[in-house]
Amino acid sequence: MKDKEERIARAVAYFKEGYNCSQSVVAAFADLYGFTHEQALHISASFGGGIGRMRLTCGAACGMFQLAGLEVAAMEGKAQNPIIQTRYTSDPAPVVHGDTLYLYTGIDNEDGEGYQKTFWQLYTTTDMVNWTDRGKVASLEDFNWAGDNGAWASQVIERNDKWYMYAPIQLRGIGVLVGKSPYGPWNDPLKRPIINKDIYDIDPTVFIDDDGQAYLYWGNNGLWYVELTRNMLDYNGGIVEVPLTEEAFGGYKETYVDDNGMEQTRVIGVDCYEEGPWVYKREGKYYLVYAAGGVPEHLSYSMSDSPAGPWKYKGKIMDTPEGSFTTHPGVVDFKGNSYIFYHSGQLKGGSGFRRSVCVEQFEYNADGTIPEIPMTKKGVTTAVSHLSPYERREAETIAMSIGVRTDQNEERGVYLDSLDHGDYVKVKSLDFGEEGAKNVMVCARKKANAGRIEVCIDSQSNAVATIDVSEATDWTELTADLDETVTGVHDVYFRFRATDTSNREELMQFDYWQFVPNATGVESIATDRKAGYKSGMYDLSGRRIHRPVKGIYIKDGKKYLK
C-alpha cells in the first residue's frame, strides 16, 4: 500500500508539473483506474513517442484516460456535473418537500437517435451532492390512453397530502397522475388528458399561489395557461394564450419565404420564447424561466407582478448547454440556497437525444433579478448537510461514479448491477463523528467473475477495508474491519476490483452498505412499535433480518450493538 501511494502521489505531481512520465507513473494510474499495464502503454503511445519521452500536462493526462472510456474528472471525481452518471436523464423537475429534494427526470434512449421515452425516473437528495436513485417512478403504462412512446417533460406538485404529476404524452395531450406519496403508486383518475388542444401541448409547469389558486402553464412555440380547480384535475374558464411579444420575451419568431421559395423562421428582436416554461413565485414576484432563442436553445426569463402577466423580459440566464441543442430549466430554493437545474450532452456518449441533468447554485441579485449563470463541470460541491454513515445507505446513493449502472426489481428495489474492474462510486460528506467507525458492512453478491470491494477514504489510493465478494453467490451482508479508525467528515469511495484481472467484467451486484461506530456498547433504547410490527430482529432501516451482522440492530423494540 505504501509503495502504491508513493507511486500515485508521484504521478499526480508529475501530471501537475507537466514532467516526463516514467513507466512507474503510468503503472500507478493503470492500477488506480483499472487498466492493464499493456493498455496504459498502448494509450500513452498515441501521445507521441511512448512512455519515456511523453510529456503530459494534467489536462493531457485526463485525455489519455478518457480515450480508454473513463470520464476521469480531475482525477479523483471532483466534478459533480452531470449529477446522474448511471443513465441518460433529461427535463429535470425538482420539488422540495420537507428535508428532501425530489428530482423527477425523463430517461433518454441509449441507442440510436430520436426520442424514445417510455417512463420517468426519480432521484432524491438531502444534501445536494449525493443523489439516490429511486427507480422508475411512473410510465406510459399508467395512462391507458397513451401510446408506446412520448414520456416527455413532466412536473410534480403536492397538495393536501396528495401528489400530482402533470405529464405530456407525445401528440396526445397532457395527462395527470395522482399518488399518495412522491414515489407513487399513481392512478389516472381522468382516463384522458386534462389538456388536449394541439400538438404543442408539452412541457407543463404547475405552481400554487399564496391564495391557494393553482396554475398550469405549458407550450412549445406558444405559451398557454389555465387556472386549476381545487382538486387539481380540472380548470376554471378557458385556456388563456400568453402573447409572445418583444416586451414579454425579448422578441418573437417570424415566418418568411427565402429567395429559393422555402419557408423559414427568423427571430425579430434579441430573444424569443421556445418551450419548457418553469413558473414560480419568490418574494412577491412571479418568475417565468424557459428555453429560448429557437434551436439551439438557451435559458432566459421574464418577470411579472401577477401570474396572469403582463410579463417583462429580463434577459438570458444560461448559454446553450454543451452537446445538446435543447435545454430545460427547473429552479428551487433548498435549505437556504438557490439552485437551477438543466440538461446537457456532457456525459460520455451524450447528444441532443442522450442528455444528462446538471445543477448550479446561484444567488439572486439584490433587486430579485437572476444573474447570468455559467454552466460548470464542478457543479455543486458543498453539501448543505452531512450523511450519517451509521445508517443503512443504498449503494445507488452516488455523488460521482464511473462505469456504474443501476437496475431494479420488486424484491430488492434499485441496486448497482454489472460492476466491472475499475468501476467506482463516490459518496460525499459522511460524518463519522468523534469516536469514528470500526468496521463496514456491504450487501452484495457475485455475478459472473470473482471480485472485491475496496472501501477508500477521501481518495481511491487510501483503502481502509477490502471485502471479498467472490463466495457470495446470493445476496449476503459481508463485513470487514477498518485498517484505521475513521473520524470526522470524509468522502468515501467504493471501488470494484477483479480477483483475476483477465476476468474483469460482470463482477458483482451491490445493494446497500453501513459503517459500524467505534463504541464498546450501546445503551438499550426503547423504540415505538409501528402498526404491523412483528417480533424479531431488524436493521436500522426497518428491514427484517434473520441474524445480526456486526453493527446496530433492533430486537423487541430495543437497540443493540454487536
Side-chain angles (χ1 to χ4, degrees):
M1 175 62 70
K2 183 178 179 181
D3 177 65
K4 177 182 174 182
E5 290 177 350
E6 288 176 349
R7 288 189 289 117
I8 291 171
R10 183 181 175 191
V12 171
Y14 271 96
F15 282 154
K16 287 182 177 179
E17 297 299 327
Y19 293 145
N20 291 332
C21 289
S22 65
Q23 293 273 357
S24 62
V25 170
V26 173
F29 273 85
D31 186 40
L32 182 61
Y33 289 106
F35 298 120
T36 65
H37 190 68
E38 290 73 19
Q39 287 174 319
L41 288 171
H42 176 74
I43 296 163
S44 65
S46 65
F47 281 81
I51 296 292
R53 297 185 298 278
M54 183 172 59
R55 181 179 177 85
L56 288 181
T57 64
C58 189
C62 288
M64 182 180 79
F65 288 96
Q66 285 172 339
L67 285 179
L70 294 176
E71 302 88 338
V72 183
M75 295 304 176
E76 278 297 298
K78 291 186 170 57
Q80 293 293 118
N81 277 331
I83 59 175
I84 308 300
Q85 307 91 36
T86 53
R87 60 177 67 234
Y88 295 114
T89 54
S90 59
D91 303 323
V95 57
V96 174
H97 189 71
D99 189 51
T100 302
L101 188 150
Y102 298 86
L103 178 64
Y104 297 84
T105 77
I107 297 297
D108 285 352
N109 183 34
E110 295 189 8
D111 301 316
E113 298 298 322
Y115 296 124
Q116 301 294 319
K117 301 168 70 67
T118 60
F119 64 95
W120 297 270
Q121 197 89 351
L122 174 60
Y123 300 87
T124 64
T125 186
T126 58
D127 57 22
M128 287 304 297
V129 294
N130 298 298
W131 297 88
T132 302
D133 187 344
R134 303 298 182 179
K136 182 191 298 185
V137 67
S139 76
L140 294 179
E141 295 177 355
D142 292 307
F143 299 99
N144 60 14
W145 49 270
D148 58 1
N149 186 24
W152 287 10
S154 68
Q155 190 174 342
V156 177
I157 195 169
E158 184 270 339
R159 183 168 200 169
N160 296 330
D161 297 324
K162 291 184 180 180
W163 291 77
Y164 299 86
M165 171 181 276
Y166 294 88
I169 312 300
Q170 181 184 11
L171 305 179
R172 296 171 185 262
I174 298 171
V176 55
L177 298 175
V178 182
K180 294 182 178 180
S181 86
Y183 305 97
W186 308 91
N187 70 85
D188 175 16
L190 296 180
K191 310 298 182 186
R192 59 171 174 79
I194 185 174
I195 301 294
N196 191 14
K197 178 180 57 62
D198 56 35
I199 63 172
Y200 300 111
D201 295 337
I202 65 171
D203 295 348
T205 180
V206 58
F207 92 103
I208 303 172
D209 208 347
D210 297 338
D211 61 2
Q213 178 62 59
Y215 296 84
L216 178 68
Y217 301 77
W218 72 92
N220 167 277
N221 281 303
L223 179 61
W224 299 268
Y225 76 90
V226 294
E227 295 183 1
L228 294 171
T229 57
R230 295 289 295 185
N231 69 5
M232 307 293 281
L233 299 175
D234 201 353
Y235 54 89
N236 297 312
I239 295 174
V240 180
E241 183 172 4
V242 178
L244 302 184
T245 65
E246 188 169 357
E247 181 180 6
F249 299 101
Y252 56 92
K253 289 184 178 181
E254 178 184 78
T255 301
Y256 70 99
V257 177
D258 65 17
D259 295 339
N260 297 318
M262 301 295 292
E263 190 173 274
Q264 305 287 351
T265 300
R266 61 190 170 197
V267 174
I268 304 299
V270 298
D271 209 347
C272 68
Y273 172 89
E274 181 71 20
E275 61 181 353
W278 185 272
V279 178
Y280 64 100
K281 186 178 184 181
R282 181 181 182 273
E283 296 184 357
K285 297 291 185 181
Y286 297 86
Y287 293 77
L288 170 58
V289 183
Y290 47 90
V295 177
E297 298 172 346
H298 57 262
L299 293 182
S300 296
Y301 80 112
S302 304
M303 293 179 66
S304 176
D305 293 323
S306 165
W311 296 95
K312 184 172 178 56
Y313 176 72
K314 304 301 288 186
K316 180 193 288 189
I317 296 175
M318 187 174 283
D319 289 333
T320 300
E322 178 183 338
S324 174
F325 54 83
T326 68
T327 186
H328 192 97
V331 184
V332 292
D333 285 350
F334 182 57
K335 296 188 177 181
N337 298 318
S338 298
Y339 302 95
I340 184 166
F341 292 78
Y342 59 100
H343 64 229
S344 75
Q346 289 183 44
L347 200 63
K348 184 175 181 284
S351 71
F353 300 106
R354 292 185 292 276
R355 300 156 295 178
S356 299
V357 171
C358 303
V359 64
E360 308 290 350
Q361 184 175 332
F362 73 98
E363 293 184 3
Y364 289 87
N365 297 320
D367 62 356
T369 57
I370 301 174
E372 191 159 349
I373 304 167
M375 293 172 286
T376 69
K377 292 185 177 180
K378 180 178 71 173
V380 178
T381 57
T382 302
V384 295
S385 60
H386 300 307
L387 293 182
S388 170
Y390 306 123
E391 299 177 17
R392 197 188 99 164
R393 298 290 174 188
E394 299 303 313
E396 59 275 11
T397 297
I398 300 171
M400 175 56 64
S401 66
I402 293 294
V404 173
R405 299 297 305 272
T406 59
D407 201 354
Q408 69 182 103
N409 58 38
E410 292 185 3
E411 176 190 2
R412 306 301 302 188
V414 183
Y415 55 90
L416 304 188
D417 189 31
S418 300
L419 298 168
D420 301 335
H421 183 76
D423 294 351
Y424 74 83
V425 164
K426 176 185 179 181
V427 186
K428 284 180 65 72
S429 198
L430 295 168
D431 189 354
F432 289 87
E434 294 181 358
E435 293 187 351
K438 68 174 184 179
N439 59 38
V440 61
M441 177 273 293
V442 303
C443 181
R445 71 174 175 182
K446 177 186 174 183
K447 208 166 182 187
N449 294 303
R452 65 186 184 275
I453 301 175
E454 293 180 354
V455 182
C456 308
I457 300 297
D458 291 329
S459 168
Q460 291 189 65
S461 64
N462 185 29
V464 296
T466 299
I467 302 173
D468 184 13
V469 186
S470 59
E471 300 298 323
T473 56
D474 200 355
W475 289 108
T476 307
E477 291 185 342
L478 306 165
T479 62
D481 292 332
L482 304 185
D483 293 343
E484 59 188 63
T485 300
V486 180
T487 61
V489 178
H490 297 278
D491 299 341
V492 173
Y493 292 80
F494 295 93
R495 188 172 175 232
F496 310 106
R497 309 293 286 167
T499 302
D500 178 0
T501 54
S502 64
N503 296 307
R504 306 161 60 86
E505 299 180 348
E506 301 285 334
L507 303 180
M508 67 190 77
Q509 298 168 319
F510 185 18
D511 193 8
Y512 58 85
W513 56 266
Q514 182 176 350
F515 284 83
V516 177
N518 187 28
T520 56
V522 171
E523 181 181 351
S524 296
I525 302 173
T527 58
D528 293 332
R529 297 191 178 191
K530 298 180 180 179
Y533 172 87
K534 295 181 180 181
S535 179
M537 291 181 290
Y538 295 80
D539 64 19
L540 290 180
S541 70
R543 179 180 292 190
R544 195 168 185 181
I545 56 178
H546 296 292
R547 59 182 179 83
V549 297
K550 292 181 179 180
I552 298 174
Y553 66 97
I554 299 172
K555 182 179 180 181
D556 297 329
K558 295 183 179 181
K559 289 184 180 179
Y560 296 91
L561 177 68
K562 181 178 179 181

